[in-house]
Amino acid sequence: MDHRYHILSTYLEPFLSSDVRWVFVSDPRRLFPQDGTVQIHHAAYPILLYENSLQLRTALEVQKDSPSKTPQIILSQQEPAQDHLVWDYVVRSQYLLCTPRKLLESLRPSYHWSSEVDQLEGEDLWKHLESSLQDRGYFGEEFTAHACQRLLLSVLLEQDVRPGFTYDIVCSIRREMSTDPCIQHVKHHYPKLYRYLETQIQQLIPIDEQAQDDEAFARFLWTFDALIRHEQPHEIFLPRIFKEDWHRFASISPEVIAETCHRIEKQQPARLFDQIRLTEEWLTLDSQRFKLFNSCIGVDPKDPMRTADFLLNERYFCVPIREGLRILAQKVIEDPSYIPFDILRKIVAHLQRGHLMIANHGEYLQMQAFVHLFGDLTELSYLLHYAGTWENDGELRTAIRAWADEFYPNVIARLEYLRDRIEAGNMKHELVPPQILQMLRDRVTQLLTRYNALFQELVAADYPNWINNATSPCTVHFLDQILVPYYREHAADKQRPNALVLILHGLRWDAWELLRPRILQAFQGKLALDGVRCLSAVLPTVQEHCQHALLTGGISITEGHLLESQIRDAFEQRHLAGIFAPEADTDTLLSHLETSVHCVLIASISLFDTSILRTQHKLAALYEHMVRNFEERVEPLLQRVPDETLVFIVADHGMVETEGQGTLWTGDRLKSQRRFMKCSADSDDGVLGGWTIFEGNRIALSDAHYAFAGYGQHLAGEPTGRYTSGGISLQEMLVPCAIFVPKGPGQLEMF
C-alpha cells in the first residue's frame, strides 16, 4: 500500500502547486485507494471519498470558507458526468482527471501508451503494474492500438500474445473460454478487449469449426444466413435480433457466412440439424426477436404472397415454416383464388423433397405431418374450387358418364375423406383456428348437398334406362361388359386361365384410392393395373341386391333361390364355371385357384365391421380401421395369388354419412331400411321431399313402389349409425371396378 501512495504522490506533484488547498481527483477507473493520506510537496492530503452530494457537503461545509483548514483530496470514483452535482466544490479545487494512461506515462515518460490501456481497472493495474511496464518495453516506440490490446491480454490472461496470435494459441484459448477464470474475468470486466480476443479467434480458426463449439456463434451463423438468403431488408434490425452477440460477429462478411453454411450442409449434415434446432430454440425464447426475424425473412401475415415466396425457398428452418403455412392455410380458406394452386402445390412439393430438415428429420416438430396436413388442405381447396366450375355443365343433368368418367372419381369422391382427415390433423397441429376450419367444412357440406341433389334428379329421370342399356356404366352389366370379355381374352393364351372376382363390400371410391397402392404392393409385381372404371350400383344400394346384380347380370331376385345357385345359372348361360365362396378363408380360396382350370372364383369380403359402422367415428378413423382389416383379410390372399390369375376388385355399393333425426314416414311400409323402403303408396314417380319414388316394375323390382332417400335423408326409428347405405347418393352409387392382368414383359405395374 505504501508503494501505491508513493507512486500516486509522484504522479500528482507535477500537476499541483505547493499552496493548493483542495484537489478534486476524478478517478473513474478506481486507481486511488478510498482512504488514507497522500504526501504532496511535503504536505499531507487526506483522501475524502465522494459518495453522494449530501455526504460530501456535510463533511466539507464547515471548511469551505475557512483558509486555515487542512488540505484535502476529494476523490470521485464515479463517472465524470456525476461530478456536476458538486460543481461548487470542483471550482474551489484544483481539478485532475486520473487515467491509467496518464499514470503509466508518468512512470516511464519515454514510452507512450494508446487509449486502449484506459480500459484497465485500478485493481488490475496495480496487480500487473510491473509486468505491464516490463512488457511495454517489448514494443519500443511503435505502439499501436492492436499492440496495446495484445499487451493487456498478455498480462490479464497470463499468456504471452505480444508477438501476435497463432492457431495453437487461439485453439488453446477457445477450449478454455467458458472455464478459465482469467478469460471469464476479461469477459465480464473488459467487453471491448474480449471482443478483440473473439475477433482474433474468428480470423484464425475456420468459421465452421467455431460454430461447432460456440453455441452463440452457431446461432448467429444460421440466423444471419437465413436473413441474407431471403434478400429482404434486415440490416437495421440486426442489433435488435442479435443484441449483445451482434458486436462479436458483425465483422464477418455475408459471403463467408453463406459459404460456411453451404459447406456444413454438404460435409456435416448431422451438425446442421443440431445447430438449426439450437437456433430455433434461441429464436423462440424471445417472442419479439422471433417476430422480427420472421418479418425479415418474409413470414408476413399481411402479405401472403411474400410468405409463399419464403416457403418456396426456405431449406433449413422449421418453426418459421409452420408460421408461414398457418398464414397461407387461413388465406386459402378465406379466399381460395388469392394464391394460385400451382404455387401451393410447388410449396408442398418443395417442403416434402427440397427442405433438408423435413425430408431427413420429419419427426422434428412433427413437420412431415404438418406439411402433409397443409397439402391436404391445399388439395381440398383446389377440389372445391374446381368443382364449382362444373355447376353449369349440362351433361351432369343428362348423362351418367359425365359423373362416372371424371367428375365424381377425380373431384367429388375425396372431399369428405380430406375434410375429416384435415379436422383430425388440425386437432393435433393447429394449422388453422377452429372457426376458420368450420368455413371449410360448411363449403364441403354445401357442395355435396348441391351436387347430390343434381345427381338425384338424374337418377329419378334416367335410372330405368341405365339398367336396361347394356352400354351404361352400371354394375348390372359388369358380368357381360367387363368380366366375360376380359376372361375370354385372358383364357386364349393361358394354361390355367383362372380369375378372381373380389367384392369389397361397401367400398367407396375414396377408400379405393387409399387401398390402391397397398393392393399393387401386395401383388409384388406379378399383376399390372389394366384400368379402373367407375360404375353405378343398382337400387336399393344394399348388399343383397347389389351383389346379385354384379354376379348374375340381373336385378330381380327370385324368391327362395340362393344367390349361389343364381350365380351358377348365370355363369353357365355364359359358358363359365363360377365358384362362389363368400365366407371362405385365404387357404380355401387359394386352393380353388391352384387346383381349378377355367374357373372364376368369387369372394365377398367386408372391410368394415358392423360395430364400427354403428359408431360415430369420422371417415378418417373409419378408414384406419378398414386398412387394418385389409392387411389382415385381403393382403395375404393377394400376395399368394398365382401369377396367371386375372383379378377383378369391385365394390357392390358404397355408403353415406347420415346425421340428424331422420324422416317420419306416415304412409304404409311393406319393408324398410334406413335409406329406402318398399311401400304401397300410390305416389307418382319423382323426387318428393328429398326422397325419390319409383314404381317397382320400372326398376326391375316387384309391383310395389319404392322410396329411396337422397343425400342427407334417412328414416327415423331405424337402427342408428354414422354410415349406412340403401339410398341415392354419389357416395353410395358410384363405385370402383379395378382390373388386374398378369404382367407381361416390359409392362408396368400401374398405368
Side-chain angles (χ1 to χ4, degrees):
M1 183 64 70
D2 292 338
H3 178 64
R4 186 182 305 184
Y5 283 100
H6 175 71
I7 291 175
L8 290 172
S9 175
T10 305
Y11 167 64
L12 291 173
E13 282 185 349
F15 299 101
L16 305 176
S17 60
S18 58
D19 59 348
V20 66
R21 178 186 173 197
W22 285 346
V23 180
F24 194 100
V25 177
S26 177
D27 179 29
R29 304 311 296 168
R30 300 177 179 268
L31 305 178
F32 273 69
Q34 295 182 350
D35 54 18
T37 301
V38 179
Q39 294 291 325
I40 303 175
H41 299 303
H42 307 293
Y45 281 74
I47 296 174
L48 174 62
L49 180 65
Y50 163 37
E51 299 176 15
N52 58 68
S53 175
L54 179 61
Q55 164 261 335
L56 184 66
R57 293 182 185 282
T58 302
L60 294 181
E61 190 67 25
V62 296
Q63 304 180 35
K64 184 169 61 173
D65 298 315
S66 174
S68 61
K69 299 299 180 181
T70 58
Q72 195 88 47
I73 291 180
I74 304 171
L75 178 64
S76 171
Q77 293 186 333
Q78 305 182 54
E79 290 301 320
Q82 296 297 318
D83 294 343
H84 76 279
L85 298 175
V86 289
W87 192 250
D88 50 336
Y89 287 96
V90 175
V91 298
R92 286 183 171 86
S93 310
Q94 185 161 347
Y95 180 83
L96 184 65
L97 174 63
C98 184
T99 65
R101 181 179 182 179
K102 290 181 178 180
L103 181 62
L104 289 169
E105 288 181 346
S106 72
L107 295 174
R108 296 283 176 87
S110 59
Y111 289 144
H112 78 274
W113 294 73
S114 74
S115 59
E116 277 69 25
V117 77
D118 284 337
Q119 298 175 71
L120 275 178
E121 295 178 352
E123 183 178 351
D124 286 327
L125 182 139
W126 294 114
K127 179 181 178 181
H128 301 288
L129 181 62
E130 292 299 325
S131 57
S132 298
L133 293 171
Q134 182 178 348
D135 288 350
R136 174 63 184 85
Y138 173 85
F139 294 97
E141 294 184 2
E142 293 295 329
F143 195 58
T144 63
H146 286 290
C148 185
Q149 292 185 97
R150 294 202 303 273
L151 185 151
L152 294 177
L153 287 171
S154 294
V155 298
L156 291 173
L157 300 181
E158 300 177 0
Q159 185 169 357
D160 189 9
V161 294
R162 291 174 302 168
F165 290 88
T166 65
Y167 179 79
D168 291 339
I169 289 176
V170 296
C171 285
S172 173
I173 292 174
R174 193 186 62 163
R175 283 194 299 268
E176 300 173 353
M177 290 285 274
S178 59
T179 58
D180 187 278
C182 294
I183 298 176
Q184 290 299 303
H185 179 73
V186 171
K187 179 178 181 179
H188 292 105
H189 292 269
Y190 303 102
K192 183 177 178 182
L193 200 56
Y194 188 77
R195 287 196 296 272
Y196 175 79
L197 175 63
E198 288 184 317
T199 301
Q200 302 307 308
I201 293 173
Q202 292 167 11
Q203 290 176 352
L204 286 170
I205 297 180
I207 195 168
D208 45 344
E209 189 176 334
Q210 296 176 46
Q212 185 171 356
D213 300 329
D214 188 339
E215 290 187 359
F217 183 68
R219 298 193 304 255
F220 171 83
L221 183 71
W222 293 105
T223 304
F224 196 78
D225 175 69
L227 294 172
I228 58 179
R229 274 190 293 109
H230 291 287
E231 300 180 350
Q232 302 287 344
H234 60 267
E235 288 80 4
I236 63 172
F237 302 113
L238 294 175
R240 293 172 59 186
I241 293 175
F242 296 109
K243 297 183 178 179
E244 65 277 2
D245 290 335
W246 173 240
H247 295 289
R248 292 180 56 193
F249 309 120
S251 61
I252 305 175
S253 71
E255 293 76 16
V256 170
I257 290 175
E259 179 184 344
T260 302
C261 291
H262 179 73
R263 186 164 57 248
I264 292 175
E265 175 192 331
K266 296 300 181 184
Q267 299 176 2
Q268 299 173 299
R271 270 183 56 201
L272 181 148
F273 170 69
D274 292 336
Q275 291 177 357
I276 290 293
R277 179 179 52 78
L278 174 75
T279 303
E280 293 198 314
E281 289 175 356
W282 170 74
L283 282 169
T284 53
L285 284 175
D286 186 330
S287 60
Q288 291 300 317
R289 173 171 56 209
F290 183 57
K291 183 177 180 181
L292 187 58
F293 172 73
N294 278 347
S295 176
C296 288
I297 60 178
V299 181
D300 188 351
K302 297 180 180 179
D303 191 347
M305 290 305 298
R306 181 170 174 243
T307 302
D309 184 66
F310 161 76
L311 294 170
L312 280 169
N313 293 282
E314 179 54 38
R315 302 177 65 244
Y316 303 138
F317 281 90
C318 291
V319 178
I321 290 288
R322 289 172 67 96
E323 296 303 311
L325 291 177
R326 287 189 173 110
I327 292 170
L328 291 201
Q330 183 163 334
K331 190 63 179 178
V332 164
I333 294 174
E334 293 175 342
D335 186 357
S337 62
Y338 185 86
I339 302 173
F341 288 106
D342 285 346
I343 291 179
L344 296 173
R345 291 192 184 100
K346 287 178 181 178
I347 288 172
V348 173
H350 165 70
L351 294 179
Q352 290 177 335
R353 295 190 291 271
H355 192 286
L356 295 181
M357 293 288 287
I358 298 174
N360 297 289
H361 300 276
E363 73 285 352
Y364 172 59
L365 299 178
Q366 297 183 309
M367 284 303 298
Q368 279 185 346
F370 199 86
V371 173
H372 190 69
L373 175 60
F374 179 80
D376 282 348
L377 186 142
T378 296
E379 182 180 358
L380 180 57
S381 297
Y382 169 74
L383 291 175
L384 288 170
H385 174 76
Y386 182 58
T389 65
W390 282 69
E391 292 229 36
N392 298 320
D393 191 303
E395 289 191 5
L396 293 182
R397 292 169 169 80
T398 59
I400 180 61
R401 287 201 176 277
W403 296 88
D405 291 349
E406 179 178 0
F407 188 53
Y408 181 70
N410 297 336
V411 183
I412 299 296
R414 285 179 55 81
L415 295 180
E416 288 178 291
Y417 176 59
L418 283 172
R419 177 203 63 194
D420 285 359
R421 195 162 70 180
I422 290 168
E423 287 185 344
N426 199 63
M427 291 181 65
K428 296 179 182 179
H429 305 294
E430 299 179 353
L431 178 62
V432 291
Q435 65 274 18
I436 299 296
L437 191 62
Q438 185 61 42
M439 294 170 56
L440 190 67
R441 181 178 180 84
D442 291 343
R443 286 217 298 273
V444 172
T445 301
Q446 292 164 9
L447 188 140
L448 288 174
T449 301
R450 196 160 62 245
Y451 279 112
N452 266 297
L454 190 61
F455 180 72
Q456 187 176 5
E457 292 176 3
L458 178 64
V459 172
D462 212 29
Y463 174 74
N465 295 328
W466 302 352
I467 59 178
N468 293 313
N469 182 354
T471 62
S472 69
C474 190
T475 54
V476 73
H477 308 307
F478 164 75
L479 197 59
D480 292 321
Q481 297 300 317
I482 298 176
L483 191 149
V484 171
Y486 261 96
Y487 181 75
R488 286 176 177 164
E489 180 182 353
H490 170 71
D493 59 351
K494 297 291 187 298
Q495 293 181 351
R496 305 178 71 82
N498 293 330
L500 170 65
V501 177
L502 183 59
I503 302 173
L504 296 182
H505 173 55
L507 189 75
R508 293 173 22 149
W509 191 278
D510 51 5
W512 149 253
E513 292 289 354
L514 192 62
L515 292 180
R516 181 207 296 245
R518 290 175 169 84
I519 292 172
L520 280 163
Q521 186 176 6
F523 285 134
Q524 304 173 63
K526 296 180 295 185
L527 302 180
L529 179 59
D530 192 61
V532 185
R533 303 188 186 183
C534 182
L535 305 179
S536 170
V538 300
L539 294 173
T541 47
V542 293
Q543 183 174 2
E544 178 185 16
H545 284 271
C546 291
Q547 292 198 4
H548 181 275
L550 268 171
L551 301 174
T552 68
I555 296 177
S556 180
I557 298 177
T558 305
E559 297 293 339
H561 287 69
L562 295 176
L563 177 60
E564 185 175 358
S565 65
Q566 296 180 63
I567 293 173
R568 185 169 54 251
D569 292 344
F571 273 56
E572 287 178 354
Q573 292 173 15
R574 293 162 175 83
H575 307 291
L576 297 176
I579 301 175
F580 186 50
E583 305 297 333
D585 58 28
T586 298
D587 289 336
T588 302
L589 294 171
L590 288 170
S591 176
H592 284 305
L593 287 173
E594 291 167 351
T595 59
S596 302
V597 179
H598 290 277
C599 166
V600 178
L601 177 64
I602 303 160
S604 175
I605 299 176
S606 176
L607 298 179
F608 303 99
D609 298 338
T610 303
S611 59
I612 195 75
L613 291 175
R614 289 180 178 173
T615 66
Q616 293 302 309
H617 287 303
K618 293 187 177 182
L619 208 58
L622 188 70
Y623 284 179
E624 289 179 6
H625 173 84
M626 175 197 71
V627 170
R628 288 195 295 269
N629 281 341
F630 171 83
E631 292 170 348
E632 294 174 5
R633 302 175 188 175
V634 179
E635 196 172 74
L637 171 64
L638 301 184
Q639 289 172 342
R640 296 168 59 189
V641 163
D643 293 1
E644 293 190 346
T645 306
L646 180 66
V647 177
F648 301 88
I649 296 180
V650 61
D652 48 5
H653 60 81
M655 57 185 175
V656 70
E657 182 177 4
T658 57
E659 294 181 330
Q661 298 299 316
T663 301
L664 290 172
W665 191 271
T666 57
D668 295 332
R669 277 187 274 174
L670 305 178
K671 178 182 179 182
S672 67
Q673 291 189 21
R674 200 168 184 212
R675 292 269 297 159
F676 83 98
M677 57 188 160
K678 180 180 179 182
C679 55
S680 59
D682 294 328
S683 303
D684 295 331
D685 288 6
V687 179
L688 178 64
W691 290 72
T692 297
I693 302 172
F694 282 112
E695 182 183 349
N697 290 330
R698 292 189 64 220
I699 56 175
L701 296 176
S702 64
D703 293 337
H705 281 72
Y706 287 81
F708 301 98
Y711 181 72
Q713 302 289 332
H714 61 277
L715 280 174
E718 294 293 332
T720 58
R722 192 181 187 102
Y723 297 93
T724 187
S725 62
I728 298 173
S729 68
L730 292 163
Q731 296 92 320
E732 291 166 286
M733 293 190 69
L734 298 186
V735 295
C737 173
I739 303 103
F740 296 88
V741 298
K743 187 177 174 184
Q747 188 175 17
L748 298 175
E749 296 177 27
M750 180 186 299
F751 54 90

